[in-house]
Amino acid sequence: MVINKTLVLTYIYLLIYIILSSGVILYNKWVLSPKYFNFPLPITLTMIHMGFSGFVAFLLIRVFKVVISLAPVKMTFEIYATCVVPISAFFASSLWFGNTAYLHISVAFIQMLKALMPVATFIMAVICGTDKPRCDVFSNMLLVSVGVVISSYGEIHFNIVGTVYQVTGIFAEALRLVLTQVLLQKKGLTLNPINSLYYIAPCSFVFLAFPWYVLEKPTMEVSQIQFNFWIFFSNALCALALNFSIFLVIGRTGAVTIRVAGVLKDWILIALSTVIFPESTITGLNIIGYAIALCGVVMYNYIKVKDVKASQPIADSLPDRINKEWKMEKKSSDKFNPDVGGGESPRLGAEINDEEAPLITSRLSHIGRTQLGNHAA
């Protein structure tokens, strides 16, 4: 029996992505929750992630001269001001709102609410003119919405504040994805993960500094907040590793595999969260509602993948496509070896969803993907 090493390596990367994505979310919940580590400052946690990621990117690009490039990045002030700044603003917002939700609702319920991501992205895409209203997609979005409503109705510890934070974070992330497609692709700019972190992380840090100064700085001055260097360093390192794992997965697979892996990760995360955090009680209505929403998500993914295949004259088999994309990646890479090495802020620390990060859309668009459903990631 001949073992396809490329395929095996792909599934190893998928496993690493699922472990890191789930781990970052659970780690963030543990750090933020007053019942555990008790660091209820999601903006601060997100800023730690952004600062650490930006610092590492700076070292790799400016100090060690490790530059991975699909194409030379010609960043001008105009591109930075009109593209990077607005994308960073919505990225920071999605992380802030998403991570803040962990203070109010359970990890399991958050994952169920994330089923709304395709709905939010479709709405934003229609508003921004990158997609058109379609009856088949609208029916799927309606099914997802009904499922999420049922799941919310069945939530024992339903909290309106946490739900609003999470849903707002989802729509902010959806707008970021659409803006990335509209703004960066229009400029013909493709950012790899290191360049994405190099440009977007510092800008997101600056945006987060404003709400931090107003909302969390006064709290830190009057209350005794414990700060453990190794806890925050390992947490930020996990978030950074997640970003690189996303890049490795996207470089090895197609849209279908990524979507399936995301669904599998969500179910694993829901199960794990109920074990690690006993207060995360799941009811039968939760499961029924999430299953209904998941059916809508799967149907939506099927429609999108079918649209992509319809635009491709020749359909390659999975191993052939993986080999082709891998050869293209190897050819276009500068000094990056994907076999070596490799963050939501309030939510980034929680998963780029899942920390599921700005690098996702740019690379996905490079291989012909319509959209990721997630940070995340």
Side-chain angles (χ1 to χ4, degrees), residues 222-341:
V222 299
S223 60
Q224 294 182 341
I225 301 295
Q226 59 174 328
F227 189 93
N228 186 308
F229 172 81
W230 294 110
I231 290 291
F232 290 103
F233 175 74
S234 60
N235 183 260
L237 192 62
C238 288
L240 181 66
L242 174 60
N243 279 329
F244 285 104
S245 73
I246 292 171
F247 172 70
L248 294 176
V249 168
I250 292 171
R252 289 272 182 173
T253 66
V256 179
T257 310
I258 294 171
R259 292 169 192 269
V260 172
V263 171
L264 178 62
K265 181 212 68 179
D266 288 342
W267 280 107
I268 292 174
L269 197 49
I270 289 173
L272 278 177
S273 66
T274 59
V275 175
I276 298 174
F277 306 110
E279 68 275 12
S280 300
T281 306
I282 297 178
T283 65
L285 208 54
N286 280 145
I287 298 298
I288 292 172
Y290 185 58
I292 293 173
L294 199 59
C295 288
V297 172
V298 170
M299 292 168 62
Y300 170 79
N301 289 340
Y302 172 75
I303 291 173
K304 286 300 181 182
V305 171
K306 190 170 66 172
D307 290 344
V308 172
K309 286 184 177 180
S311 65
Q312 297 173 347
I314 300 176
D316 296 327
S317 64
L318 176 60
D320 289 341
R321 188 176 73 252
I322 290 174
N323 283 325
K324 243 184 224 181
E325 291 173 357
W326 178 235
K327 286 177 183 177
M328 289 175 63
E329 184 64 33
K330 289 283 285 182
K331 196 172 182 180
S332 60
S333 296
D334 194 339
K335 295 183 179 179
F336 179 64
N337 181 358
D339 295 325
V340 181

Side-chain angles (χ1 to χ4, degrees), residues 19-298:
I19 292 174
L20 284 173
S21 182
S22 303
V24 168
I25 292 174
L26 295 172
Y27 202 169
N28 281 0
K29 172 66 175 180
W30 181 82
V31 170
L32 293 169
S33 177
K35 295 182 179 180
Y36 299 97
F37 186 71
N38 191 23
F39 187 80
L41 303 171
I43 303 178
T44 304
L45 183 64
T46 305
M47 291 179 70
I48 291 173
H49 291 167
M50 293 292 94
F52 181 76
S53 298
F55 177 68
V56 171
F58 175 82
L59 290 180
L60 292 175
I61 291 178
R62 295 296 185 185
V63 179
F64 299 108
K65 307 297 182 182
V66 178
V67 181
I68 348 171
S69 223
L70 300 172
V73 179
K74 298 178 180 178
M75 184 63 66
T76 63
F77 178 79
E78 179 194 358
I79 293 177
Y80 193 88
T82 59
C83 298
V84 175
V85 170
I87 289 172
S88 299
F90 285 105
F91 180 54
S93 300
S94 68
L95 298 180
W96 167 20
F97 294 133
N99 278 341
T100 303
Y102 287 99
L103 296 175
H104 305 281
I105 54 181
S106 67
V107 171
F109 186 47
I110 284 175
Q111 293 307 120
M112 294 177 187
L113 289 176
K114 284 179 185 177
L116 285 172
M117 188 64 196
V119 179
T121 307
F122 177 68
I123 292 174
M124 291 303 174
V126 171
I127 292 175
C128 294
T130 60
D131 207 341
K132 296 180 180 178
R134 294 168 49 179
C135 291
D136 53 351
V137 175
F138 178 77
S139 61
N140 292 334
M141 299 300 97
L142 186 62
L143 186 61
V144 171
S145 302
V146 169
V148 171
V149 169
I150 293 175
S151 181
S152 301
Y153 184 76
E155 176 64 17
I156 293 178
H157 305 293
F158 181 81
N159 182 291
I160 187 65
V161 174
T163 303
V164 169
Y165 266 118
Q166 181 59 41
V167 173
T168 304
I170 288 172
F171 274 88
E173 174 66 5
L175 186 54
R176 182 193 68 79
L177 289 171
V178 174
L179 283 178
T180 301
Q181 180 182 3
V182 172
L183 298 178
L184 291 185
Q185 288 185 9
K186 185 183 293 185
K187 301 289 185 179
L189 186 65
T190 303
L191 297 178
N192 58 59
I194 294 182
N195 284 326
S196 294
L197 293 175
Y198 179 73
Y199 290 114
I200 294 178
C203 192
S204 297
F205 183 93
V206 172
F207 274 110
L208 289 167
F210 294 102
W212 173 82
Y213 185 82
V214 175
L215 300 175
E216 294 188 359
K217 184 176 180 291
T219 304
M220 297 177 73
E221 291 176 346
V222 299
S223 60
Q224 294 182 341
I225 301 295
Q226 59 174 328
F227 189 93
N228 186 308
F229 172 81
W230 294 110
I231 290 291
F232 290 103
F233 175 74
S234 60
N235 183 260
L237 192 62
C238 288
L240 181 66
L242 174 60
N243 279 329
F244 285 104
S245 73
I246 292 171
F247 172 70
L248 294 176
V249 168
I250 292 171
R252 289 272 182 173
T253 66
V256 179
T257 310
I258 294 171
R259 292 169 192 269
V260 172
V263 171
L264 178 62
K265 181 212 68 179
D266 288 342
W267 280 107
I268 292 174
L269 197 49
I270 289 173
L272 278 177
S273 66
T274 59
V275 175
I276 298 174
F277 306 110
E279 68 275 12
S280 300
T281 306
I282 297 178
T283 65
L285 208 54
N286 280 145
I287 298 298
I288 292 172
Y290 185 58
I292 293 173
L294 199 59
C295 288
V297 172
V298 170

